[in-house]
């Protein structure tokens, strides 16, 4: 009997161990072997010597050896993916020394994992790491999902700042969702700079100022910074100007210190020449950055004087460029950078505090320079979302609109949330609540559907800031927006957000008529919607925009919604859209005629 019990216990232990092993089996994925490009932050996808390089192979014969060798470092590169895993593993090998005397291994050779929740807010994931011939990171005890769905979150894995990556694999449990995210279609911020821009001496890759500003602006970014070798050289400038950039940032002065190599005249000529090379190939904005100074500058008068002379040489070049007629050019000053002596590790390279100060100064300058202001209310802070990835992909729809704008730009842009999205038109969506009325009343008017399910005011602000109305000239831009903010925001907050949205449209489509449609009524919110619409109408009048409240056709005489015209008290059904469509067509065609 005793032997039988022991045998049974052994079998149970073996079974439980096998079940545990199967449950925790890890599937590994190699980004470099993915069929679609997923290594983010590269200016070139073709002609690379190895998958994680920052410069194309052709550059080896033109740039100095030091620049070429540093271009093997993966500063600014990252991998994006979606998963609902509660544990994420990463293993990889690097090609150089793991650490440096003034910078920790986690910054030199480590990785860093950030996540976006379904509302677009950033989160940081703590990694348990082991450095050796193969470096391993384990991100454990992650809450796998948010409140909207079971499709997990979007993750950004930042690669080492001061080392090359030979190979890398990302692992999750075999039974969970894991999807690589393709590259975004927007133009990138392109940074040409020094060791500071490369990331020295951030404690981890996500704390480099370039990484911080990428998250603050939520924009693709290409880091072409080379430690000790960001010298405004023609060979590098010619290369970076090949990239179709949203903005070029030239932050090279810390590597152009005055002395035996460089005089004020040398610096002056380098700035002139670099800007002219870039401008000869691109009309994109150019941001020149002054030297931020040194941590010990206040105690070393000669060092401070040298920095002042260096900045003055660039300021003279800037003034002369403006006099010559160069436009879309500005300067981020030392005063605006505002670093103090505690902002540095060694008097030269920033601490994480210094990196934050750099990023804050850059964000303020870029938001002003690129016309992307934000406020303090949630409705005025542009942000993406992923509240319904199982039904459609928010980012993929955004990318599709950018593509359609380039190939077949519309005359009329109809911007909104799911009420617009699921009506009809293009880009097509399988869920159509009223395609017949869309085709009948709008099909011949070149109307493109810019509606996204679950979108709030701040999500539309993000989309406009991220090129959905760039690169073409529309005749009309139509809005029906704000209903998804009713449960979160006051009327004042919603109107403030809408004001930023409408201003963003006027900046990007100055010749288009902007038509504001009042928020459609919804069950149990009829009075509040009517009150808010009065405020939206007043805002439209103050901004010189057109306004119409077509949603009143969905109401009964008692002021309540006609339930027969709605599918759920919020979204119109086919009959509802059929009542709205002729009113909207009349508004659109009256203007056209």
């Amino acid at each position: 009997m005793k032997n039988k019990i022991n045998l049974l216990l052994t079998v149970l232990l073996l079974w439980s161990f096998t079940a545990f092993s199967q449950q925790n089996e890890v599937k590994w994925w190699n980004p470099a072997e993915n069929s679609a490009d997923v290594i983010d932050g590269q200016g070139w996808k073709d002609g690379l010597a190895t998958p994680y390089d920052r410069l194309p192979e052709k550059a080896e014969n033109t740039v100095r050896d030091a620049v070429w060798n540093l271009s093997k470092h993966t500063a600014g590169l990252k991998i994006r993916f979606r998963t609902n895993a509660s544990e994420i593993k990463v293993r990889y090998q690097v090609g150089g020394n793991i650490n440096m005397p003034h910078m920790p291994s986690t910054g030199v050779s480590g990785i860093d994992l950030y996540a976006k929740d379904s509302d677009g807010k950033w989160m940081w994931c703590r990694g348990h790491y082991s450095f050796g011939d193969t470096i391993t990171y384990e991100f454990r005890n992650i809450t796998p999902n948010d409140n909207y769905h079971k499709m997990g979150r979007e993750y950004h894995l930042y690669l080492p700042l001061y080392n090359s990556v030979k190979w890398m694999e990302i692992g999750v449990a075999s039974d969970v969702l894991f999807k690589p995210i393709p590259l975004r279609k927007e133009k990138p911020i392109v940074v040409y700079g020094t060791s500071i821009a490369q990331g020295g001496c951030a404690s981890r890759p996500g704390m480099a100022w370039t990484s911080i500003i990428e998250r603050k602006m939520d924009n693709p970014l290409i880091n072409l910074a080379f430690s000790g070798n960001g010298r405004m050289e023609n060979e590098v400038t010619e290369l970076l100007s090949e990239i179709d950039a949203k903005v070029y940032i030239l932050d090279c002065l810390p590597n152009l210190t005055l002395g035996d190599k460089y005089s004020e005249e040398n610096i002056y000529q380098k700035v002139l020449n670099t800007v002219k090379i870039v401008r000869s190939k691109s009309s994109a904005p150019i941001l020149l950055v002054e030297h931020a100074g040194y941590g010990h500058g206040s105690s070393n008068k000669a060092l401070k004087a040298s920095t002042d002379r260096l900045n003055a040489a660039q300021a003279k070049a800037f003034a002369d460029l403006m006099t010559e007629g160069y436009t879309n050019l500005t300067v981020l000053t030392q005063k605006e950078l505002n670093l103090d002596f505690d902002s540095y590790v060694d008097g030269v390279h920033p601490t994480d505090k210094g990196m934050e100060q750099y990023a804050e100064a850059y964000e303020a300058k870029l938001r002003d320079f690129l016309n992307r202001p934000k406020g303090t209310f949630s409705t005025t802070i542009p942000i993406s979302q992923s509240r319904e990835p199982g039904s459609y992909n928010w980012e993929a729809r955004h990318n599709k609109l950018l593509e359609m704008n380039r190939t077949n730009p519309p005359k009329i842009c109809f911007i909104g949330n799911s009420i617009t999205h699921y009506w009809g038109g293009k880009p097509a969506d399988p869920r159509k609540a009223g395609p017949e009325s869309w085709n009948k009343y709008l099909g011949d008017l070149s109307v493109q559907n810019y509606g996204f399910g679950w979108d709030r005011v701040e999500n539309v602000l993000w989309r406009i800031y991220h090129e959905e109305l760039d690169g073409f000239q529309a005749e009309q831009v139509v809005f029906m927006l704000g209903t998804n903010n009713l449960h979160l925001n006051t009327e004042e907050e919603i109107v403030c957000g809408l004001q930023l949205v409408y201003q963003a449209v006027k900046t990007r489509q100055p010749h288009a008529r902007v038509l504001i449609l009042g928020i459609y009524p919804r069950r149990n919110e009829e009075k509040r919607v009517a009150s808010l619409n009065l405020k939206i109408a007043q805002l439209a009048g103050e901004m010189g925009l057109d306004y119409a409240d077509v949603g009143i056709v969905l109401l009964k005489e008692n002021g309540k919604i006609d339930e027969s015209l709605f599918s759920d008290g919020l979204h119109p059904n086919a009959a509802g859209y059929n009542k709205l469509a002729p009113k909207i067509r009349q508004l659109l065609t009256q203007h056209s005629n």
Side-chain angles (χ1 to χ4, degrees):
M1 185 66 180
K2 185 177 180 181
N3 290 336
K4 288 182 178 180
I5 292 173
N6 288 337
L7 179 61
L8 179 60
L9 287 172
T10 301
V11 170
L12 287 172
L13 285 169
L14 286 171
W15 176 85
S16 62
F17 178 79
T18 302
F20 178 82
S21 298
Q22 290 174 347
Q23 182 180 354
N24 290 274
E25 182 181 349
V26 175
K27 57 181 177 184
W28 293 96
W29 171 71
N30 186 328
E33 296 176 355
N34 198 66
S35 57
D37 290 331
V38 292
I39 302 173
D40 218 326
Q42 293 174 310
W44 299 264
K45 282 298 174 184
D46 298 322
L48 296 175
T50 63
Y52 295 99
D53 285 354
R54 290 189 292 152
L55 288 179
E57 191 171 16
K58 66 180 182 181
E60 185 175 10
N61 298 321
T62 58
V63 302
R64 291 182 295 108
D65 289 345
V67 173
W68 175 249
N69 293 334
L70 287 163
S71 76
K72 299 289 184 178
H73 293 179
T74 53
L77 302 193
K78 68 178 183 181
I79 313 295
R80 294 193 305 147
F81 54 87
R82 173 173 289 278
T83 185
N84 56 8
S86 58
E87 183 171 348
I88 300 169
K89 300 175 183 286
V90 185
R91 60 190 183 190
Y92 60 102
Q93 285 186 323
V94 296
N97 293 328
I98 287 176
N99 56 18
M100 295 191 294
H102 62 318
M103 186 172 175
S105 302
T106 50
V108 175
S109 305
I111 57 173
D112 214 357
L113 188 65
Y114 284 73
K116 267 187 183 180
D117 72 9
S118 296
D119 289 320
K121 295 178 181 177
W122 288 103
M123 299 176 288
W124 178 70
C125 304
R126 180 191 177 194
H128 300 265
Y129 46 81
S130 175
F131 286 89
D133 181 55
T134 297
I135 301 172
T136 62
Y137 270 72
E138 293 185 3
F139 302 92
R140 308 168 189 158
N141 301 317
I142 300 170
T143 303
N145 295 295
D146 300 317
N147 297 325
Y148 297 94
H149 51 76
K150 301 298 182 183
M151 304 289 287
R153 303 189 182 108
E154 174 184 331
Y155 289 87
H156 293 215
L157 182 71
Y158 292 92
L159 303 192
L161 296 170
Y162 269 81
N163 223 322
S164 61
V165 171
K166 293 181 177 180
W167 62 267
M168 172 175 284
E169 291 181 329
I170 300 170
V172 296
S174 57
D175 58 346
V176 304
L177 178 146
F178 183 92
K179 290 184 177 180
I181 300 178
L183 303 181
R184 288 165 62 173
K185 302 296 184 182
E186 299 147 51
K187 296 179 181 180
I189 298 170
V190 177
V191 179
Y192 179 26
T194 69
S195 56
I196 298 168
Q198 185 171 335
C201 290
S203 63
R204 44 188 175 81
M207 286 307 298
W209 74 253
T210 50
S211 301
I212 299 171
I213 197 64
E214 178 196 38
R215 293 193 299 276
K216 284 179 176 289
M217 300 296 291
D218 203 2
N219 213 96
L221 183 143
I222 295 171
N223 187 330
L224 294 178
F226 308 104
S227 182
N229 290 276
R231 301 178 184 175
M232 291 192 181
E233 295 167 312
N234 290 354
E235 298 82 1
V236 179
T237 304
E238 292 281 358
L239 284 165
L240 70 92
S241 61
E242 293 177 2
I243 304 168
D244 187 13
K246 186 71 177 177
V247 58
Y248 294 98
I249 295 175
L250 304 178
D251 190 356
C252 292
L253 293 193
N255 283 166
L256 298 173
T257 50
L258 296 171
D260 295 336
K261 285 188 177 181
Y262 304 111
S263 65
E264 283 99 325
E265 179 63 22
N266 294 143
I267 306 303
Y268 169 80
Q269 291 296 336
K270 275 184 172 288
V271 175
L272 285 180
N273 194 48
T274 300
V275 170
K276 289 181 178 182
I277 290 174
V278 173
R279 184 58 80 236
S280 70
K281 296 186 178 181
S282 173
S283 60
I286 300 173
L287 174 59
L288 296 168
V289 185
E290 289 189 351
H291 196 312
Y294 298 93
H296 52 306
S298 57
S299 62
N300 186 327
K301 302 299 182 184
L303 194 62
K304 183 181 183 303
S306 177
T307 303
D308 291 344
R309 288 163 53 207
L310 186 66
N311 288 335
Q314 178 168 271
K316 181 177 184 297
F318 170 73
D320 288 351
L321 286 163
M322 296 296 287
T323 301
E324 290 181 36
Y326 283 83
T327 59
N328 227 1
L329 180 69
T330 193
V331 177
L332 178 61
T333 67
Q334 180 182 15
K335 182 178 180 180
E336 289 171 316
L337 287 167
N338 195 32
L339 272 66
D340 56 54
F341 51 78
D342 283 335
S343 303
Y344 299 88
V345 170
D346 53 4
V348 178
H349 300 94
T351 60
D352 285 353
K353 173 191 172 184
M355 290 293 185
E356 286 275 12
Q357 290 171 310
Y358 262 99
E360 288 169 4
Y362 268 106
E363 182 185 17
K365 180 63 71 172
L366 288 173
R367 288 204 175 278
D368 180 61
F369 195 27
L370 301 178
N371 290 308
R372 287 188 182 181
K374 73 174 185 179
T376 55
F377 297 140
S378 64
T379 55
T380 63
I381 301 172
I383 197 168
S384 61
Q385 60 102 339
S386 182
R387 301 185 185 102
E388 202 174 6
S391 301
Y392 79 105
N393 186 310
W394 193 88
E395 183 177 307
R397 183 171 174 83
H398 170 67
N399 286 338
K400 181 64 176 176
L401 281 167
L402 299 186
E403 180 185 331
M404 292 175 70
N405 289 345
R406 288 190 291 268
T407 58
N408 188 26
K411 293 181 180 178
I412 302 172
C413 308
F414 200 145
I415 299 177
N417 45 53
S418 57
I419 296 171
T420 302
H421 184 177
Y422 303 134
W423 182 1
K426 294 181 179 179
D429 190 275
R431 294 177 297 180
K432 297 182 179 69
E436 296 81 8
S437 58
W438 178 287
N439 294 335
K440 179 180 178 180
Y441 291 100
L442 305 182
D444 63 333
L445 297 182
S446 183
V447 182
Q448 196 152 285
N449 189 326
Y450 289 73
F452 283 62
W454 292 82
D455 256 15
R456 299 172 187 156
V457 172
E458 56 266 31
N459 305 132
V460 172
L461 185 62
W462 186 99
R463 294 198 278 121
I464 295 172
Y465 283 177
H466 288 76
E467 304 180 15
E468 282 193 14
L469 294 179
D470 290 3
F472 68 102
Q473 185 170 312
E475 294 179 2
Q476 301 186 64
V477 181
V478 185
F479 283 96
M480 204 293 290
L481 181 63
T483 193
N484 287 333
N485 290 88
L486 288 173
H487 67 297
L488 294 169
N489 300 104
T490 66
E491 292 177 15
E492 177 194 5
E493 290 169 347
I494 294 172
V495 170
C496 284
L498 290 173
Q499 183 175 10
L500 269 188
V501 167
Y502 303 156
Q503 188 58 53
V505 175
K506 291 179 70 174
T507 300
R508 289 155 179 80
Q509 292 285 346
H511 304 294
R513 174 210 190 191
V514 180
L515 170 62
I516 312 303
L517 301 181
I519 297 173
Y520 297 164
R522 55 188 293 177
R523 183 189 298 146
N524 300 326
E525 294 280 2
E526 292 92 343
K527 287 186 178 180
R528 187 176 179 211
V529 168
S531 173
L532 178 56
N533 279 343
L534 286 176
K535 292 181 174 64
I536 295 174
Q538 181 179 352
L539 174 64
E542 292 170 353
M543 296 185 70
L545 312 177
D546 292 341
Y547 174 84
D549 190 3
V550 298
I552 58 175
V553 302
L554 304 175
L555 292 171
K556 292 181 176 181
E557 289 184 3
N558 63 4
K560 294 292 186 179
I561 66 167
D562 184 342
E563 294 283 356
S564 69
L565 302 177
F566 289 82
S567 61
D568 55 4
L570 170 63
H571 297 87
N573 57 23
Y577 284 118
N578 205 46
K579 293 202 74 170
L580 291 164
K583 300 290 185 181
I584 294 173
R585 179 183 176 87
Q586 183 180 15
L587 290 166
L588 298 179
T589 54
Q590 279 177 345
H591 176 76
S592 298
N593 294 335

